[in-house]
Amino acid sequence: RAPAGADEADGDAEAAGDPMEIAELTVLPDEADLRLDRLLVGRFELQSRTYFASLCAQGLVTMDGMRAAKGDRLRVGAVVSVQFTPTAEMEARPERMPLDILYEDAHLLVLNKAAGVVVHPAPGHWEGTLVNGVLFHLLGNGHGAAGAAEASGGAPPSDESDESDEPDALRAPTSTVVHRLDKGTTGAIAFAKSAESQRALSSLFRLRQVRKSYLAVCVGDPGADPIEITHPIGRDKANRLRMTVVAEADGGRSARSVVRRLCYDGRFSLVRVDIFTGRTHQIRVHMRAHGLPLVGDDEYGSKQWNQAALKGLGVRRPLLHAHRLAFEHPFTQRALAFEAPLPDDLRR
């Protein structure tokens, strides 16, 4: 099963960092004794045996918790875990969709992401992602098919392709993406408009030269003084679909968040969270670890408070918003800063 939205990263994981998604599946009786690579191709039909062989070689496929080889034979009831990584095989078709554009120039595009929208294609989310919409936008704004293909890292369609309002010959992996937001997270997110731009923007994120501020609603009161949280983060060994605090000696990756209370109503606090790393689910994990879970967060939050927020306020997502994104333009060296307006559920 491919968990909805598991490819995204709150805080804002760099696109080249963690695997984009983990999927787990259980071997059925009629799949017994099949080769592992054949099982994976059968379950995930849009990927090739070569792709899964590469994942196995990288140690990104396990069976019952043990590293698996592409030719391993399957046992009924065995649990196979696959950590997907971005690849040119993961095609995206341009799709017409509304985009809330905060900024655009020849090199980059900054959008205000709505809640419930997945950033890029992945197993379980091949259509309706922001990448699909960005590709369509590029095609309709003077870039042409070749420009959009360059932005995505793919090749332009051949001269023999049929003319269409939504070209289907455009191969588009996720290299337009330079960072990611969770499906439920709203706010500012940047996209590259060419392969050169993608490399330059990704470098800014990798070198920690992008300043990122989030607004969130949490349960409880963090106090008047800023809180610095530096717990390292890694995969939860008991549930590989979740992240948790993991010592660096055990494989956790360093992470740093600074939390500042903006207001408190006796139950919930509106906080600003500045993050200095981009680990998967960083803000959600750090806030939970500090006893301040985000309101509406079904994965890391408080079930009791989530039910109260749903019943009283209609909250149906983690109340987390990428409010501000600031960096130096990689080509003009101009200082840029973007603020995404608050969504309605945070205005309440």
Side-chain angles (χ1 to χ4, degrees), residues 16-64:
D18 298 291
M20 56 184 285
E21 179 171 1
I22 290 184
E24 288 190 349
L25 51 91
T26 301
V27 177
L28 303 175
D30 61 354
E31 296 167 329
D33 208 38
L34 280 178
R35 283 172 55 107
L36 175 60
D37 54 0
R38 288 189 176 277
L39 168 77
L40 296 176
V41 169
R43 293 288 192 100
F44 304 101
E45 296 178 354
L46 294 178
Q47 305 306 316
S48 67
R49 288 177 68 180
T50 301
Y51 172 71
F52 287 116
S54 174
L55 294 188
C56 289
Q58 296 175 67
L60 298 178
V61 181
T62 63
M63 184 156 51
D64 289 337

Side-chain angles (χ1 to χ4, degrees), residues 256-272:
R256 180 182 173 218
S257 308
V258 175
V259 181
R260 293 175 173 86
R261 185 189 71 188
L262 301 180
C263 60
Y264 175 57
D265 70 358
R267 299 179 304 163
F268 307 135
S269 292
L270 176 66
V271 297
R272 188 182 95 193

Side-chain angles (χ1 to χ4, degrees), residues 87-109:
T87 169
E89 293 184 3
M90 292 187 172
E91 300 179 12
R93 299 178 186 274
E95 295 180 40
R96 185 191 301 273
M97 67 177 62
L99 298 177
D100 186 355
I101 298 174
L102 299 176
Y103 175 84
E104 182 174 15
D105 64 21
H107 306 285
L108 61 99
L109 178 68

Side-chain angles (χ1 to χ4, degrees), residues 8 235 252 323 330 340:
E8 310 297 301
R235 293 281 172 189
H323 180 57

Side-chain angles (χ1 to χ4, degrees), residues 139 143-151 154-157 170:
L139 288 170
H143 286 260
E150 180 195 0
L170 179 63

Side-chain angles (χ1 to χ4, degrees), residues 100 102 112-115 186-188 213-217 262-263 270-272 317 319-324 339-348:
D100 186 355
L102 299 176
N112 181 22
K113 177 188 170 302
T186 56
S213 294
Y214 290 70
L215 296 177
V217 177
L262 301 180
C263 60
L270 176 66
V271 297
R272 188 182 95 193
R317 69 171 185 101
L319 291 183
L320 180 62
H321 178 67
H323 180 57
R324 193 171 193 273
E339 290 192 358
L342 290 178
D344 290 342
D345 55 3
L346 267 174
R347 289 182 181 277
R348 299 194 204 105

